[in-house]
PDB file of all heavy atoms in Angstrom:
ATOM      1  N   ILE B 203      -4.654  -8.976  -8.072  1.00 98.00           N
ATOM      2  CA  ILE B 203      -3.611  -8.734  -7.077  1.00 98.00           C
ATOM      3  C   ILE B 203      -3.839  -9.659  -5.885  1.00 98.00           C
ATOM      4  O   ILE B 203      -4.964  -9.794  -5.394  1.00 98.00           O
ATOM      5  CB  ILE B 203      -3.629  -7.258  -6.612  1.00 98.00           C
ATOM      6  CG1 ILE B 203      -3.433  -6.311  -7.802  1.00 98.00           C
ATOM      7  CG2 ILE B 203      -2.583  -7.011  -5.522  1.00 98.00           C
ATOM      8  CD1 ILE B 203      -2.114  -6.423  -8.523  1.00 98.00           C
ATOM      9  N   ASN B 204      -2.750 -10.285  -5.438  1.00 98.00           N
ATOM     10  CA  ASN B 204      -2.815 -11.164  -4.273  1.00 98.00           C
ATOM     11  C   ASN B 204      -1.555 -10.962  -3.438  1.00 98.00           C
ATOM     12  O   ASN B 204      -0.698 -10.149  -3.790  1.00 98.00           O
ATOM     13  CB  ASN B 204      -2.994 -12.625  -4.709  1.00 98.00           C
ATOM     14  CG  ASN B 204      -1.899 -13.066  -5.671  1.00 98.00           C
ATOM     15  OD1 ASN B 204      -0.724 -12.840  -5.433  1.00 98.00           O
ATOM     16  ND2 ASN B 204      -2.307 -13.686  -6.767  1.00 98.00           N
ATOM     17  N   GLN B 205      -1.439 -11.697  -2.348  1.00 96.00           N
ATOM     18  CA  GLN B 205      -0.278 -11.566  -1.457  1.00 96.00           C
ATOM     19  C   GLN B 205       1.027 -11.824  -2.204  1.00 96.00           C
ATOM     20  O   GLN B 205       2.023 -11.167  -1.941  1.00 96.00           O
ATOM     21  CB  GLN B 205      -0.385 -12.554  -0.287  1.00 96.00           C
ATOM     22  CG  GLN B 205      -1.401 -12.158   0.755  1.00 96.00           C
ATOM     23  CD  GLN B 205      -0.921 -11.003   1.612  1.00 96.00           C
ATOM     24  OE1 GLN B 205      -1.154  -9.844   1.293  1.00 96.00           O
ATOM     25  NE2 GLN B 205      -0.240 -11.306   2.681  1.00 96.00           N
ATOM     26  N   ARG B 206       1.023 -12.768  -3.140  1.00 97.00           N
ATOM     27  CA  ARG B 206       2.256 -13.144  -3.846  1.00 97.00           C
ATOM     28  C   ARG B 206       2.761 -12.041  -4.778  1.00 97.00           C
ATOM     29  O   ARG B 206       3.959 -11.852  -4.901  1.00 97.00           O
ATOM     30  CB  ARG B 206       2.058 -14.442  -4.625  1.00 97.00           C
ATOM     31  CG  ARG B 206       1.922 -15.672  -3.751  1.00 97.00           C
ATOM     32  CD  ARG B 206       1.839 -16.960  -4.567  1.00 97.00           C
ATOM     33  NE  ARG B 206       0.819 -16.943  -5.606  1.00 97.00           N
ATOM     34  CZ  ARG B 206      -0.485 -17.148  -5.398  1.00 97.00           C
ATOM     35  NH1 ARG B 206      -0.932 -17.376  -4.188  1.00 97.00           N
ATOM     36  NH2 ARG B 206      -1.333 -17.138  -6.400  1.00 97.00           N
ATOM     37  N   ASN B 207       1.862 -11.346  -5.471  1.00 98.00           N
ATOM     38  CA  ASN B 207       2.331 -10.356  -6.448  1.00 98.00           C
ATOM     39  C   ASN B 207       2.171  -8.909  -5.980  1.00 98.00           C
ATOM     40  O   ASN B 207       2.505  -7.987  -6.711  1.00 98.00           O
ATOM     41  CB  ASN B 207       1.648 -10.568  -7.804  1.00 98.00           C
ATOM     42  CG  ASN B 207       0.166 -10.256  -7.806  1.00 98.00           C
ATOM     43  OD1 ASN B 207      -0.411  -9.792  -6.826  1.00 98.00           O
ATOM     44  ND2 ASN B 207      -0.477 -10.525  -8.926  1.00 98.00           N
ATOM     45  N   PHE B 208       1.680  -8.693  -4.767  1.00 98.00           N
ATOM     46  CA  PHE B 208       1.426  -7.338  -4.278  1.00 98.00           C
ATOM     47  C   PHE B 208       2.696  -6.482  -4.273  1.00 98.00           C
ATOM     48  O   PHE B 208       2.695  -5.357  -4.761  1.00 98.00           O
ATOM     49  CB  PHE B 208       0.808  -7.382  -2.877  1.00 98.00           C
ATOM     50  CG  PHE B 208       0.469  -6.029  -2.329  1.00 98.00           C
ATOM     51  CD1 PHE B 208      -0.667  -5.356  -2.757  1.00 98.00           C
ATOM     52  CD2 PHE B 208       1.291  -5.406  -1.403  1.00 98.00           C
ATOM     53  CE1 PHE B 208      -0.986  -4.097  -2.272  1.00 98.00           C
ATOM     54  CE2 PHE B 208       0.980  -4.157  -0.903  1.00 98.00           C
ATOM     55  CZ  PHE B 208      -0.159  -3.502  -1.337  1.00 98.00           C
ATOM     56  N   GLN B 209       3.781  -7.016  -3.757  1.00 97.00           N
ATOM     57  CA  GLN B 209       5.037  -6.254  -3.687  1.00 97.00           C
ATOM     58  C   GLN B 209       5.495  -5.837  -5.082  1.00 97.00           C
ATOM     59  O   GLN B 209       5.806  -4.677  -5.324  1.00 97.00           O
ATOM     60  CB  GLN B 209       6.114  -7.099  -2.989  1.00 97.00           C
ATOM     61  CG  GLN B 209       7.442  -6.386  -2.791  1.00 97.00           C
ATOM     62  CD  GLN B 209       7.419  -5.349  -1.687  1.00 97.00           C
ATOM     63  OE1 GLN B 209       6.709  -5.495  -0.711  1.00 97.00           O
ATOM     64  NE2 GLN B 209       8.169  -4.289  -1.856  1.00 97.00           N
ATOM     65  N   THR B 210       5.516  -6.785  -6.011  1.00 97.00           N
ATOM     66  CA  THR B 210       6.002  -6.512  -7.367  1.00 97.00           C
ATOM     67  C   THR B 210       5.072  -5.587  -8.142  1.00 97.00           C
ATOM     68  O   THR B 210       5.516  -4.595  -8.722  1.00 97.00           O
ATOM     69  CB  THR B 210       6.140  -7.841  -8.154  1.00 97.00           C
ATOM     70  OG1 THR B 210       6.989  -8.705  -7.416  1.00 97.00           O
ATOM     71  CG2 THR B 210       6.706  -7.608  -9.530  1.00 97.00           C
ATOM     72  N   GLU B 211       3.778  -5.902  -8.147  1.00 97.00           N
ATOM     73  CA  GLU B 211       2.835  -5.177  -9.001  1.00 97.00           C
ATOM     74  C   GLU B 211       2.377  -3.838  -8.418  1.00 97.00           C
ATOM     75  O   GLU B 211       2.011  -2.933  -9.166  1.00 97.00           O
ATOM     76  CB  GLU B 211       1.603  -6.040  -9.289  1.00 97.00           C
ATOM     77  CG  GLU B 211       1.895  -7.288 -10.088  1.00 97.00           C
ATOM     78  CD  GLU B 211       2.321  -7.007 -11.522  1.00 97.00           C
ATOM     79  OE1 GLU B 211       2.219  -5.855 -11.984  1.00 97.00           O
ATOM     80  OE2 GLU B 211       2.773  -7.953 -12.175  1.00 97.00           O
ATOM     81  N   VAL B 212       2.374  -3.703  -7.099  1.00 97.00           N
ATOM     82  CA  VAL B 212       1.839  -2.493  -6.469  1.00 97.00           C
ATOM     83  C   VAL B 212       2.941  -1.664  -5.816  1.00 97.00           C
ATOM     84  O   VAL B 212       3.184  -0.523  -6.207  1.00 97.00           O
ATOM     85  CB  VAL B 212       0.733  -2.839  -5.446  1.00 97.00           C
ATOM     86  CG1 VAL B 212       0.200  -1.578  -4.770  1.00 97.00           C
ATOM     87  CG2 VAL B 212      -0.403  -3.591  -6.127  1.00 97.00           C
ATOM     88  N   ILE B 213       3.617  -2.224  -4.846  1.00 97.00           N
ATOM     89  CA  ILE B 213       4.620  -1.470  -4.099  1.00 97.00           C
ATOM     90  C   ILE B 213       5.781  -1.026  -4.997  1.00 97.00           C
ATOM     91  O   ILE B 213       6.217   0.121  -4.941  1.00 97.00           O
ATOM     92  CB  ILE B 213       5.158  -2.293  -2.895  1.00 97.00           C
ATOM     93  CG1 ILE B 213       4.024  -2.649  -1.933  1.00 97.00           C
ATOM     94  CG2 ILE B 213       6.274  -1.533  -2.172  1.00 97.00           C
ATOM     95  CD1 ILE B 213       3.342  -1.465  -1.280  1.00 97.00           C
ATOM     96  N   ASN B 214       6.276  -1.921  -5.839  1.00 97.00           N
ATOM     97  CA  ASN B 214       7.427  -1.609  -6.695  1.00 97.00           C
ATOM     98  C   ASN B 214       7.045  -1.029  -8.047  1.00 97.00           C
ATOM     99  O   ASN B 214       7.914  -0.842  -8.896  1.00 97.00           O
ATOM    100  CB  ASN B 214       8.282  -2.861  -6.905  1.00 97.00           C
ATOM    101  CG  ASN B 214       8.853  -3.385  -5.613  1.00 97.00           C
ATOM    102  OD1 ASN B 214       8.944  -2.673  -4.614  1.00 97.00           O
ATOM    103  ND2 ASN B 214       9.234  -4.649  -5.607  1.00 97.00           N
ATOM    104  N   SER B 215       5.768  -0.738  -8.275  1.00 97.00           N
ATOM    105  CA  SER B 215       5.314  -0.239  -9.578  1.00 97.00           C
ATOM    106  C   SER B 215       5.869   1.148  -9.861  1.00 97.00           C
ATOM    107  O   SER B 215       5.902   2.012  -8.982  1.00 97.00           O
ATOM    108  CB  SER B 215       3.785  -0.178  -9.614  1.00 97.00           C
ATOM    109  OG  SER B 215       3.357   0.364 -10.846  1.00 97.00           O
ATOM    110  N   ASP B 216       6.303   1.349 -11.109  1.00 96.00           N
ATOM    111  CA  ASP B 216       6.763   2.677 -11.515  1.00 96.00           C
ATOM    112  C   ASP B 216       5.603   3.550 -12.004  1.00 96.00           C
ATOM    113  O   ASP B 216       5.787   4.703 -12.346  1.00 96.00           O
ATOM    114  CB  ASP B 216       7.845   2.563 -12.600  1.00 96.00           C
ATOM    115  CG  ASP B 216       7.371   1.773 -13.813  1.00 96.00           C
ATOM    116  OD1 ASP B 216       6.304   1.124 -13.743  1.00 96.00           O
ATOM    117  OD2 ASP B 216       8.071   1.804 -14.840  1.00 96.00           O
ATOM    118  N   LYS B 217       4.397   2.991 -12.012  1.00 97.00           N
ATOM    119  CA  LYS B 217       3.186   3.731 -12.402  1.00 97.00           C
ATOM    120  C   LYS B 217       2.254   3.808 -11.198  1.00 97.00           C
ATOM    121  O   LYS B 217       2.294   2.937 -10.331  1.00 97.00           O
ATOM    122  CB  LYS B 217       2.432   2.988 -13.508  1.00 97.00           C
ATOM    123  CG  LYS B 217       3.196   2.733 -14.768  1.00 97.00           C
ATOM    124  CD  LYS B 217       2.331   1.904 -15.707  1.00 97.00           C
ATOM    125  CE  LYS B 217       3.066   1.555 -16.980  1.00 97.00           C
ATOM    126  NZ  LYS B 217       2.239   0.713 -17.854  1.00 97.00           N
ATOM    127  N   PRO B 218       1.362   4.804 -11.163  1.00 97.00           N
ATOM    128  CA  PRO B 218       0.312   4.783 -10.137  1.00 97.00           C
ATOM    129  C   PRO B 218      -0.543   3.530 -10.314  1.00 97.00           C
ATOM    130  O   PRO B 218      -0.727   3.041 -11.435  1.00 97.00           O
ATOM    131  CB  PRO B 218      -0.510   6.042 -10.432  1.00 97.00           C
ATOM    132  CG  PRO B 218       0.390   6.913 -11.238  1.00 97.00           C
ATOM    133  CD  PRO B 218       1.291   5.986 -12.014  1.00 97.00           C
ATOM    134  N   VAL B 219      -1.050   3.001  -9.201  1.00 98.00           N
ATOM    135  CA  VAL B 219      -1.871   1.786  -9.230  1.00 98.00           C
ATOM    136  C   VAL B 219      -3.235   2.102  -8.616  1.00 98.00           C
ATOM    137  O   VAL B 219      -3.312   2.635  -7.508  1.00 98.00           O
ATOM    138  CB  VAL B 219      -1.208   0.631  -8.447  1.00 98.00           C
ATOM    139  CG1 VAL B 219      -2.068  -0.629  -8.514  1.00 98.00           C
ATOM    140  CG2 VAL B 219       0.192   0.350  -8.972  1.00 98.00           C
ATOM    141  N   LEU B 220      -4.294   1.790  -9.353  1.00 98.00           N
ATOM    142  CA  LEU B 220      -5.654   1.920  -8.854  1.00 98.00           C
ATOM    143  C   LEU B 220      -6.100   0.533  -8.406  1.00 98.00           C
ATOM    144  O   LEU B 220      -6.244  -0.371  -9.227  1.00 98.00           O
ATOM    145  CB  LEU B 220      -6.569   2.457  -9.955  1.00 98.00           C
ATOM    146  CG  LEU B 220      -8.066   2.517  -9.650  1.00 98.00           C
ATOM    147  CD1 LEU B 220      -8.352   3.416  -8.448  1.00 98.00           C
ATOM    148  CD2 LEU B 220      -8.838   2.991 -10.869  1.00 98.00           C
ATOM    149  N   LEU B 221      -6.260   0.352  -7.099  1.00 98.00           N
ATOM    150  CA  LEU B 221      -6.686  -0.940  -6.549  1.00 98.00           C
ATOM    151  C   LEU B 221      -8.185  -0.929  -6.300  1.00 98.00           C
ATOM    152  O   LEU B 221      -8.712   0.014  -5.713  1.00 98.00           O
ATOM    153  CB  LEU B 221      -5.971  -1.210  -5.218  1.00 98.00           C
ATOM    154  CG  LEU B 221      -4.492  -1.522  -5.273  1.00 98.00           C
ATOM    155  CD1 LEU B 221      -3.944  -1.673  -3.853  1.00 98.00           C
ATOM    156  CD2 LEU B 221      -4.227  -2.784  -6.074  1.00 98.00           C
ATOM    157  N   ASP B 222      -8.836  -1.994  -6.726  1.00 98.00           N
ATOM    158  CA  ASP B 222     -10.266  -2.190  -6.507  1.00 98.00           C
ATOM    159  C   ASP B 222     -10.437  -3.368  -5.566  1.00 98.00           C
ATOM    160  O   ASP B 222     -10.111  -4.502  -5.922  1.00 98.00           O
ATOM    161  CB  ASP B 222     -10.942  -2.469  -7.851  1.00 98.00           C
ATOM    162  CG  ASP B 222     -12.395  -2.893  -7.721  1.00 98.00           C
ATOM    163  OD1 ASP B 222     -13.050  -2.473  -6.745  1.00 98.00           O
ATOM    164  OD2 ASP B 222     -12.871  -3.631  -8.605  1.00 98.00           O
ATOM    165  N   PHE B 223     -10.905  -3.103  -4.338  1.00 98.00           N
ATOM    166  CA  PHE B 223     -11.229  -4.168  -3.395  1.00 98.00           C
ATOM    167  C   PHE B 223     -12.686  -4.536  -3.635  1.00 98.00           C
ATOM    168  O   PHE B 223     -13.567  -3.684  -3.490  1.00 98.00           O
ATOM    169  CB  PHE B 223     -10.995  -3.694  -1.953  1.00 98.00           C
ATOM    170  CG  PHE B 223      -9.537  -3.524  -1.629  1.00 98.00           C
ATOM    171  CD1 PHE B 223      -8.885  -2.341  -1.928  1.00 98.00           C
ATOM    172  CD2 PHE B 223      -8.817  -4.552  -1.050  1.00 98.00           C
ATOM    173  CE1 PHE B 223      -7.538  -2.177  -1.636  1.00 98.00           C
ATOM    174  CE2 PHE B 223      -7.472  -4.408  -0.757  1.00 98.00           C
ATOM    175  CZ  PHE B 223      -6.827  -3.209  -1.049  1.00 98.00           C
ATOM    176  N   TRP B 224     -12.936  -5.802  -3.989  1.00 98.00           N
ATOM    177  CA  TRP B 224     -14.252  -6.221  -4.459  1.00 98.00           C
ATOM    178  C   TRP B 224     -14.553  -7.649  -4.016  1.00 98.00           C
ATOM    179  O   TRP B 224     -13.693  -8.338  -3.472  1.00 98.00           O
ATOM    180  CB  TRP B 224     -14.301  -6.143  -5.988  1.00 98.00           C
ATOM    181  CG  TRP B 224     -13.438  -7.194  -6.629  1.00 98.00           C
ATOM    182  CD1 TRP B 224     -12.075  -7.199  -6.711  1.00 98.00           C
ATOM    183  CD2 TRP B 224     -13.865  -8.415  -7.219  1.00 98.00           C
ATOM    184  NE1 TRP B 224     -11.627  -8.343  -7.335  1.00 98.00           N
ATOM    185  CE2 TRP B 224     -12.711  -9.109  -7.644  1.00 98.00           C
ATOM    186  CE3 TRP B 224     -15.108  -8.985  -7.422  1.00 98.00           C
ATOM    187  CZ2 TRP B 224     -12.776 -10.342  -8.277  1.00 98.00           C
ATOM    188  CZ3 TRP B 224     -15.161 -10.219  -8.054  1.00 98.00           C
ATOM    189  CH2 TRP B 224     -14.005 -10.876  -8.482  1.00 98.00           C
ATOM    190  N   ALA B 225     -15.775  -8.099  -4.297  1.00 98.00           N
ATOM    191  CA  ALA B 225     -16.186  -9.498  -4.109  1.00 98.00           C
ATOM    192  C   ALA B 225     -17.231  -9.831  -5.168  1.00 98.00           C
ATOM    193  O   ALA B 225     -17.969  -8.957  -5.620  1.00 98.00           O
ATOM    194  CB  ALA B 225     -16.757  -9.718  -2.711  1.00 98.00           C
ATOM    195  N   SER B 226     -17.289 -11.096  -5.530  1.00 96.00           N
ATOM    196  CA  SER B 226     -18.195 -11.526  -6.606  1.00 96.00           C
ATOM    197  C   SER B 226     -19.667 -11.341  -6.243  1.00 96.00           C
ATOM    198  O   SER B 226     -20.508 -11.153  -7.113  1.00 96.00           O
ATOM    199  CB  SER B 226     -17.926 -12.987  -6.969  1.00 96.00           C
ATOM    200  OG  SER B 226     -18.120 -13.806  -5.833  1.00 96.00           O
ATOM    201  N   TRP B 227     -20.013 -11.382  -4.965  1.00 98.00           N
ATOM    202  CA  TRP B 227     -21.401 -11.266  -4.515  1.00 98.00           C
ATOM    203  C   TRP B 227     -21.858  -9.811  -4.349  1.00 98.00           C
ATOM    204  O   TRP B 227     -23.000  -9.559  -4.018  1.00 98.00           O
ATOM    205  CB  TRP B 227     -21.591 -12.011  -3.199  1.00 98.00           C
ATOM    206  CG  TRP B 227     -20.513 -11.700  -2.194  1.00 98.00           C
ATOM    207  CD1 TRP B 227     -19.388 -12.441  -1.956  1.00 98.00           C
ATOM    208  CD2 TRP B 227     -20.444 -10.570  -1.328  1.00 98.00           C
ATOM    209  NE1 TRP B 227     -18.623 -11.836  -0.987  1.00 98.00           N
ATOM    210  CE2 TRP B 227     -19.244 -10.683  -0.583  1.00 98.00           C
ATOM    211  CE3 TRP B 227     -21.258  -9.461  -1.099  1.00 98.00           C
ATOM    212  CZ2 TRP B 227     -18.855  -9.748   0.369  1.00 98.00           C
ATOM    213  CZ3 TRP B 227     -20.863  -8.521  -0.152  1.00 98.00           C
ATOM    214  CH2 TRP B 227     -19.680  -8.674   0.569  1.00 98.00           C
ATOM    215  N   CYS B 228     -20.968  -8.856  -4.591  1.00 98.00           N
ATOM    216  CA  CYS B 228     -21.239  -7.431  -4.339  1.00 98.00           C
ATOM    217  C   CYS B 228     -21.798  -6.755  -5.595  1.00 98.00           C
ATOM    218  O   CYS B 228     -21.097  -6.613  -6.591  1.00 98.00           O
ATOM    219  CB  CYS B 228     -19.930  -6.781  -3.883  1.00 98.00           C
ATOM    220  SG  CYS B 228     -19.929  -4.982  -3.885  1.00 98.00           S
ATOM    221  N   GLY B 229     -23.075  -6.330  -5.537  1.00 97.00           N
ATOM    222  CA  GLY B 229     -23.709  -5.669  -6.677  1.00 97.00           C
ATOM    223  C   GLY B 229     -22.993  -4.396  -7.121  1.00 97.00           C
ATOM    224  O   GLY B 229     -22.692  -4.238  -8.307  1.00 97.00           O
ATOM    225  N   PRO B 230     -22.709  -3.462  -6.200  1.00 97.00           N
ATOM    226  CA  PRO B 230     -21.990  -2.249  -6.609  1.00 97.00           C
ATOM    227  C   PRO B 230     -20.616  -2.556  -7.204  1.00 97.00           C
ATOM    228  O   PRO B 230     -20.159  -1.847  -8.106  1.00 97.00           O
ATOM    229  CB  PRO B 230     -21.867  -1.452  -5.306  1.00 97.00           C
ATOM    230  CG  PRO B 230     -23.032  -1.911  -4.478  1.00 97.00           C
ATOM    231  CD  PRO B 230     -23.189  -3.373  -4.820  1.00 97.00           C
ATOM    232  N   CYS B 231     -19.966  -3.619  -6.737  1.00 98.00           N
ATOM    233  CA  CYS B 231     -18.668  -4.010  -7.308  1.00 98.00           C
ATOM    234  C   CYS B 231     -18.827  -4.395  -8.776  1.00 98.00           C
ATOM    235  O   CYS B 231     -17.995  -4.044  -9.617  1.00 98.00           O
ATOM    236  CB  CYS B 231     -18.065  -5.177  -6.535  1.00 98.00           C
ATOM    237  SG  CYS B 231     -17.708  -4.848  -4.802  1.00 98.00           S
ATOM    238  N   ARG B 232     -19.912  -5.120  -9.076  1.00 97.00           N
ATOM    239  CA  ARG B 232     -20.171  -5.522 -10.466  1.00 97.00           C
ATOM    240  C   ARG B 232     -20.489  -4.315 -11.340  1.00 97.00           C
ATOM    241  O   ARG B 232     -20.212  -4.327 -12.534  1.00 97.00           O
ATOM    242  CB  ARG B 232     -21.289  -6.558 -10.519  1.00 97.00           C
ATOM    243  CG  ARG B 232     -20.864  -7.914  -9.956  1.00 97.00           C
ATOM    244  CD  ARG B 232     -21.832  -9.027 -10.318  1.00 97.00           C
ATOM    245  NE  ARG B 232     -23.177  -8.807  -9.826  1.00 97.00           N
ATOM    246  CZ  ARG B 232     -23.643  -9.220  -8.655  1.00 97.00           C
ATOM    247  NH1 ARG B 232     -22.859  -9.894  -7.837  1.00 97.00           N
ATOM    248  NH2 ARG B 232     -24.879  -8.988  -8.294  1.00 97.00           N
ATOM    249  N   MET B 233     -21.055  -3.258 -10.744  1.00 97.00           N
ATOM    250  CA  MET B 233     -21.336  -2.035 -11.507  1.00 97.00           C
ATOM    251  C   MET B 233     -20.041  -1.299 -11.847  1.00 97.00           C
ATOM    252  O   MET B 233     -19.916  -0.713 -12.915  1.00 97.00           O
ATOM    253  CB  MET B 233     -22.247  -1.101 -10.703  1.00 97.00           C
ATOM    254  CG  MET B 233     -23.663  -1.596 -10.557  1.00 97.00           C
ATOM    255  SD  MET B 233     -24.679  -0.649  -9.385  1.00 97.00           S
ATOM    256  CE  MET B 233     -24.140   1.012  -9.601  1.00 97.00           C
ATOM    257  N   VAL B 234     -19.075  -1.313 -10.951  1.00 97.00           N
ATOM    258  CA  VAL B 234     -17.815  -0.592 -11.130  1.00 97.00           C
ATOM    259  C   VAL B 234     -16.844  -1.353 -12.039  1.00 97.00           C
ATOM    260  O   VAL B 234     -16.045  -0.746 -12.741  1.00 97.00           O
ATOM    261  CB  VAL B 234     -17.164  -0.313  -9.755  1.00 97.00           C
ATOM    262  CG1 VAL B 234     -15.752   0.217  -9.889  1.00 97.00           C
ATOM    263  CG2 VAL B 234     -18.017   0.662  -8.957  1.00 97.00           C
ATOM    264  N   ALA B 235     -16.938  -2.675 -12.062  1.00 97.00           N
ATOM    265  CA  ALA B 235     -15.974  -3.509 -12.800  1.00 97.00           C
ATOM    266  C   ALA B 235     -15.789  -3.103 -14.266  1.00 97.00           C
ATOM    267  O   ALA B 235     -14.649  -2.946 -14.711  1.00 97.00           O
ATOM    268  CB  ALA B 235     -16.358  -4.982 -12.691  1.00 97.00           C
ATOM    269  N   PRO B 236     -16.863  -2.886 -15.044  1.00 97.00           N
ATOM    270  CA  PRO B 236     -16.632  -2.508 -16.449  1.00 97.00           C
ATOM    271  C   PRO B 236     -15.978  -1.133 -16.590  1.00 97.00           C
ATOM    272  O   PRO B 236     -15.206  -0.899 -17.518  1.00 97.00           O
ATOM    273  CB  PRO B 236     -18.017  -2.524 -17.085  1.00 97.00           C
ATOM    274  CG  PRO B 236     -19.003  -2.761 -16.004  1.00 97.00           C
ATOM    275  CD  PRO B 236     -18.261  -3.124 -14.761  1.00 97.00           C
ATOM    276  N   ILE B 237     -16.251  -0.242 -15.656  1.00 97.00           N
ATOM    277  CA  ILE B 237     -15.616   1.085 -15.683  1.00 97.00           C
ATOM    278  C   ILE B 237     -14.112   0.933 -15.472  1.00 97.00           C
ATOM    279  O   ILE B 237     -13.301   1.558 -16.172  1.00 97.00           O
ATOM    280  CB  ILE B 237     -16.223   2.009 -14.596  1.00 97.00           C
ATOM    281  CG1 ILE B 237     -17.702   2.263 -14.880  1.00 97.00           C
ATOM    282  CG2 ILE B 237     -15.440   3.316 -14.494  1.00 97.00           C
ATOM    283  CD1 ILE B 237     -18.452   2.945 -13.746  1.00 97.00           C
ATOM    284  N   LEU B 238     -13.733   0.092 -14.524  1.00 97.00           N
ATOM    285  CA  LEU B 238     -12.315  -0.117 -14.250  1.00 97.00           C
ATOM    286  C   LEU B 238     -11.614  -0.793 -15.422  1.00 97.00           C
ATOM    287  O   LEU B 238     -10.462  -0.466 -15.730  1.00 97.00           O
ATOM    288  CB  LEU B 238     -12.134  -0.922 -12.969  1.00 97.00           C
ATOM    289  CG  LEU B 238     -12.643  -0.210 -11.717  1.00 97.00           C
ATOM    290  CD1 LEU B 238     -12.571  -1.123 -10.512  1.00 97.00           C
ATOM    291  CD2 LEU B 238     -11.879   1.078 -11.464  1.00 97.00           C
ATOM    292  N   GLU B 239     -12.290  -1.713 -16.098  1.00 96.00           N
ATOM    293  CA  GLU B 239     -11.707  -2.339 -17.290  1.00 96.00           C
ATOM    294  C   GLU B 239     -11.504  -1.308 -18.399  1.00 96.00           C
ATOM    295  O   GLU B 239     -10.495  -1.334 -19.093  1.00 96.00           O
ATOM    296  CB  GLU B 239     -12.572  -3.504 -17.780  1.00 96.00           C
ATOM    297  CG  GLU B 239     -12.519  -4.735 -16.902  1.00 96.00           C
ATOM    298  CD  GLU B 239     -11.149  -5.416 -16.856  1.00 96.00           C
ATOM    299  OE1 GLU B 239     -10.318  -5.238 -17.776  1.00 96.00           O
ATOM    300  OE2 GLU B 239     -10.900  -6.140 -15.869  1.00 96.00           O
TER     301      GLU B 239
END
């Protein structure tokens, strides 16, 4: 998700959206990533 597709994919979505705010250098983010997939 980025600024360009946020409106279409998130705001206008007909389904609930689970957003994960993350960074590549974040250890806990890497732990959560496979769960979200």
Side-chain angles (χ1 to χ4, degrees):
I203 302 297
N204 56 48
Q205 286 286 90
R206 290 185 308 280
N207 68 4
F208 182 78
Q209 183 74 32
T210 304
E211 295 292 350
V212 179
I213 300 297
N214 298 340
S215 177
D216 56 348
K217 301 176 183 178
V219 181
L220 174 60
L221 289 176
D222 171 29
F223 290 86
W224 70 285
S226 59
W227 47 263
C228 166
C231 298
R232 290 194 300 269
M233 290 170 36
V234 170
I237 296 169
L238 296 174
E239 288 295 338

